[in-house]
Amino acid sequence: AQSVTQLGSHVSVSEGALVLLRCNYSSSVPPYLFWYVQYPNQGLQLLLKYTSAATLVKGINGFEAEFKKSETSFHLTKPSAHMSDAAEYFCAVSEAGGGNKLTFGTGTQLKVEL
Amino acid sequence: EPEVTQTPSHQVTQMGQEVILRCVPISNHLYFYWYRQILGQKVEFLVSFYNNEISEKSEIFDDQFSVERPDGSNFTLKIRSTKLEDSAMYFCASSQGNNQPQHFGDGTRLSIL
């Protein structure tokens, strides 16, 4: 069975500072990994995906994530936070050959302060 | 950019009543999904649908729930007899292929009174 753990339900950074949102997964087979962002009163928007090609994945809005098999991690980073990055971020996993069901983490609310 | 659309954005229903949530997936997508998010909790998978049949469902998706693709464009979720605990945000999603990124609608907020 697959699962996702997001450490830190709330993260606060200053504008211009590094953003680091943590995600660890467990999966019995090679996983597909995704990061989604949710702005208030909106749906989930795909930021980036890992599908067993390059381990460093670049997404939209300057975000990237690195797949580390040895650490079972897929942390999301952005070098310099912007006020518009304030939102809730969800890490999700689906299993190769296991259907398309996404299993989500509990989410991390990112706050960006001046 | 094509998007998934959901209607209504907010649905208020009396407990015990039937409710139908509607979704129009992206037109060239073949896989369709419903998820729900109870306030303050994580997004949970309900059901996936491919080739006019359910391909996978969670234990949440019991006999009170059903899905249908009545025509070439709509994808619906029906809850036969709503309960208070069905109150949640329901998200529809679609994807082009197996393990391809899923694109989500803005959700329907379902409030059961």
Side-chain angles (χ1 to χ4, degrees):
Chain A
Q2 56 200 28
S3 67
V4 176
T5 302
Q6 290 185 245
L7 287 176
S9 58
H10 292 81
V11 169
S12 185
V13 300
S14 300
E15 192 174 34
L18 171 72
V19 175
L20 170 61
L21 304 182
R22 299 178 186 276
C23 172
N24 289 86
Y25 69 91
S26 70
S27 175
S28 55
V29 298
Y32 293 99
L33 294 157
F34 306 86
W35 275 99
Y36 284 86
V37 60
Q38 185 180 31
Y39 297 100
N41 300 314
Q42 293 186 27
L44 299 159
Q45 181 183 1
L46 180 71
L47 272 180
L48 49 81
K49 65 181 190 289
Y50 166 77
T51 56
S52 76
T55 56
L56 182 63
V57 181
K58 293 188 185 299
I60 63 170
N61 301 340
F63 284 93
E64 61 183 37
E66 186 173 7
F67 172 70
K68 290 188 177 179
K69 186 177 177 181
S70 61
E71 298 177 8
T72 60
S73 68
F74 190 58
H75 302 331
L76 182 70
T77 59
K78 182 174 179 177
S80 176
H82 191 270
M83 296 296 288
S84 60
D85 294 327
E88 187 147 27
Y89 292 80
F90 292 93
C91 183
V93 62
S94 68
E95 288 186 344
N100 298 314
K101 173 181 77 172
L102 285 175
T103 299
F104 284 87
T106 50
T108 298
Q109 187 73 45
L110 176 66
K111 183 177 178 182
V112 182
E113 298 173 319
L114 285 172
Chain B
E1 186 179 323
E3 57 182 29
V4 175
T5 56
Q6 290 185 243
T7 54
S9 57
H10 193 187
Q11 174 80 45
V12 182
T13 301
Q14 291 289 328
M15 186 173 60
Q17 295 295 306
E18 174 183 288
V19 67
I20 297 175
L21 309 183
R22 302 181 190 278
C23 170
V24 178
I26 295 173
S27 62
N28 64 342
H29 285 188
L30 301 176
Y31 293 77
F32 314 111
Y33 316 84
W34 284 100
Y35 293 82
R36 78 171 185 190
Q37 185 180 29
I38 295 171
L39 189 64
Q41 298 185 24
K42 66 167 81 174
V43 177
E44 301 173 289
F45 170 79
L46 291 179
V47 66
S48 58
F49 191 86
Y50 170 70
N51 201 25
N52 281 320
E53 60 183 26
I54 290 173
S55 47
E56 190 174 1
K57 60 183 181 179
S58 71
E59 56 192 31
I60 302 168
F61 194 89
D62 61 22
D63 292 344
Q64 294 300 310
F65 290 86
S66 62
V67 290
E68 194 178 30
R69 188 154 162 81
D71 52 44
S73 59
N74 290 284
F75 180 52
T76 61
L77 174 69
K78 182 194 291 186
I79 309 175
R80 250 178 284 281
S81 178
T82 50
K83 304 187 283 280
L84 291 175
E85 54 263 38
D86 293 327
S87 295
M89 181 73 91
Y90 287 79
F91 291 106
C92 174
S94 67
S95 68
Q96 206 162 25
N98 202 21
N99 289 119
Q100 292 298 305
Q102 295 178 25
H103 297 258
F104 285 76
D106 285 345
T108 293
R109 181 170 299 284
L110 178 62
S111 300
I112 307 300
L113 304 179

